[in-house]
Amino acid sequence: MNAAEGSGLPAGRKGNTLVLSASGKNPLGSLPPLAAYIHIPWCIRKCPYCDFNSHTAGSVLPEADYVAALLADLQADLQHVQGRRLGSVFFGGGTPSLFSAGALERILDGLERQVGFADAVEITLEANPGTFEQARFRDYRSLGINRLSIGVQSFQAAKLAALGRIHDGGEAVRAAGMARAAGFENFNLDLMHGLPGQTLDDALSDLHTAIAQQPTHLSWYQLTLEPNTVFWSQPPILPEDDTLWDIQEAGQKLLAEHGYRQYETSAYSQPGRQARHNLNYWTFGDFLGLGAGAHAKLSTPDGRIVRTWKVRQPKDYLNPAKPFQAGEKRLEALDLPFEFLMNALRLTAGVPAILFSQRTGLPLQQLAEHRQAAEARGLLESDPQRLIATPRGQLFLNDLLQLFLP
């Protein structure tokens, strides 16, 4: 659909054409569940390790214009909804909590009106401790946002300074308390390990402090140096491999002792508190991607699976003369085993084997030769009912996935 009178799109905005097969038959049997990712691309300051599409905020954010663009972007993508309701919504960034409650309310109203929410929809907002205000977060909760993901990274002053964070450890602790006081009984803390100069005791101290805040979920992952970041061009001195291994082993043991079950490579939760939005990614569900630089994975009624991405620069996203979408790639049959397993095998319990066919439209037999090779190397469990990595396969997940490359 091109921008035209009555289309609901501003002049110059171009939608995407959805081509149905002549029969309208869906080879997948039924379309996967649908989620929405909303990208807010501004931060108070860009961190030196961050490779996300984030930009330093000016004195005034173009909040109203960006919300209008997001809603027009949603309008252009409605053709991909196909009658499904949203099981989860995730506001990521950047720092989405820089936006007012009124702005987020307009976005959520548009999503509910144009797409609709499933029962017990999970709506997550990313926030950083340096942006916490009690009244604002109470307002967020009143909108129906029912989960927070708080970017702590560390509670120690030297580590936070090395990471370029704007908050201190006390602010991080207060943020968790303020989240609970605002009505968020379900929240995640983001925590890194393997930081510059970090010892085993440093890492365990951070974990003890995080656990003391009683989050329902912890994302605990190792710092990696990514291209196009300050740390990539000016790498800090990171802990030796032996120290990293000790941190990983001791940290996982500590988390388990306090009731946090590892259910994904870097995700730990209290019982029943897994992140539903991320589970949708890892089980190869569909998701709309709205906002500057947002990515999407979408299935069509004629059996195609595509990944799309939006223009990265906020100025381009806000320019009515430019299309929202920057590119699209169809996943071919040869790509699908790797694409599916790259997500599913991150889950420590794996997935039912039948899900491969349900999500890709391909016969399970297509994996047979590669499964045998992975099982022979001790990387994949010999379980005909599930696709699940062995403990060794979890440790060497890249090696496991290499076996499924086309």
Side-chain angles (χ1 to χ4, degrees):
M1 179 177 66
N2 292 322
E5 185 177 2
S7 70
L9 303 178
R13 293 298 193 192
K14 298 178 182 178
N16 306 311
T17 301
L18 178 66
V19 181
L20 298 178
S21 64
S23 65
K25 183 179 178 182
N26 173 23
L28 302 182
S30 62
L31 291 175
L34 183 67
Y37 173 78
I38 315 294
H39 192 73
I40 309 295
W42 290 284
C43 283
I44 292 177
R45 184 169 65 196
K46 180 82 170 179
C47 296
Y49 60 85
C50 178
D51 68 335
F52 295 135
N53 184 35
S54 60
H55 306 264
T56 301
S59 57
V60 179
L61 287 176
E63 189 180 80
D65 289 342
Y66 196 75
V67 170
L70 279 170
L71 294 176
D73 191 3
L74 171 64
Q75 182 72 27
D77 277 358
L78 287 179
Q79 58 197 309
H80 300 298
V81 172
Q82 298 296 324
R84 293 172 288 179
R85 292 178 177 268
L86 296 171
S88 64
V89 177
F90 194 101
F91 288 93
T95 307
S97 54
L98 292 177
F99 268 30
S100 68
L104 299 185
E105 181 177 28
R106 291 193 293 277
I107 297 167
L108 288 172
D109 283 349
L111 287 169
E112 187 169 23
R113 185 176 62 256
Q114 299 286 346
V115 184
F117 295 150
D119 293 340
V121 61
E122 176 191 270
I123 305 177
T124 301
L125 177 76
E126 283 188 340
N128 288 329
T131 64
F132 260 76
E133 299 172 16
Q134 187 69 60
R136 173 177 285 203
F137 279 82
R138 193 178 294 115
D139 289 343
Y140 290 154
R141 185 67 188 91
S142 71
L143 300 180
I145 296 171
N146 51 25
R147 185 174 182 272
L148 288 181
S149 183
I150 306 172
V152 171
Q153 315 314 348
S154 177
F155 294 92
Q156 297 169 27
K159 305 300 182 289
L160 290 167
L163 293 173
R165 304 297 288 174
I166 64 170
H167 66 272
D168 59 32
E171 285 178 306
V173 170
R174 288 192 293 275
M178 290 169 66
R180 194 175 288 106
F184 289 97
E185 50 84 29
N186 187 17
F187 66 93
N188 169 67
L189 295 182
D190 249 11
L191 203 63
M192 286 184 179
H193 60 88
L195 306 180
Q198 190 176 52
T199 65
L200 172 60
D201 287 344
D202 289 338
L204 292 182
S205 174
D206 268 349
L207 271 181
H208 276 293
T209 304
I211 291 167
Q213 311 317 309
Q214 300 181 329
T216 50
H217 190 284
L218 272 162
S219 297
W220 187 59
Y221 51 95
Q222 183 179 324
L223 171 65
T224 56
L225 306 185
E226 302 290 348
N228 303 314
T229 65
V230 172
F231 273 5
W232 182 262
S233 57
Q234 303 170 35
I237 298 174
L238 301 180
E240 300 288 341
D241 287 346
D242 286 349
T243 300
L244 293 173
W245 180 257
D246 290 343
I247 290 173
Q248 187 75 31
E249 281 197 319
Q252 288 182 334
K253 182 173 183 288
L254 179 64
L255 287 164
E257 288 171 352
H258 285 83
Y260 291 91
R261 175 179 171 270
Q262 183 183 16
Y263 69 97
E264 186 268 341
T265 302
S266 58
Y268 304 76
S269 76
Q270 294 176 346
R273 292 298 195 173
Q274 297 92 334
R276 287 168 53 191
H277 187 82
N278 288 343
L279 282 174
N280 186 60
Y281 290 151
W282 297 323
T283 54
F284 215 50
D286 278 0
F287 53 95
L288 300 170
L290 306 173
H295 286 238
K297 179 255 174 182
L298 302 160
S299 305
T300 66
D302 63 344
R304 290 182 295 123
I305 300 174
V306 297
R307 293 196 183 277
T308 67
W309 52 96
K310 304 296 170 63
V311 293
R312 286 180 57 85
Q313 294 296 324
K315 64 179 178 62
D316 293 330
Y317 189 79
L318 291 169
N319 185 346
K322 292 180 179 289
F324 291 115
Q325 186 164 300
E328 174 179 312
K329 178 186 177 183
R330 177 175 179 174
L331 301 183
E332 304 296 341
L334 285 175
D335 300 323
L336 286 172
F338 178 81
E339 289 277 345
F340 176 87
L341 293 170
M342 178 175 61
N343 293 280
L345 292 181
R346 292 179 64 92
L347 294 168
T348 56
V351 296
I354 190 63
L355 191 68
F356 174 74
S357 296
Q358 292 171 346
R359 293 286 191 265
T360 67
L362 300 175
L364 189 59
Q365 183 62 25
Q366 187 148 336
L367 296 179
E369 182 178 344
H370 300 297
R371 286 180 78 178
Q372 290 170 5
E375 290 167 7
R377 293 178 58 177
L379 301 175
L380 198 69
E381 298 283 3
S382 299
D383 184 342
Q385 302 303 316
R386 296 193 72 78
L387 294 166
I388 176 172
T390 62
R392 175 180 171 81
Q394 284 286 331
L395 288 174
F396 299 101
L397 191 56
N398 286 340
D399 292 341
L400 171 55
L401 292 172
Q402 291 292 316
L403 298 175
F404 293 90
L405 283 171

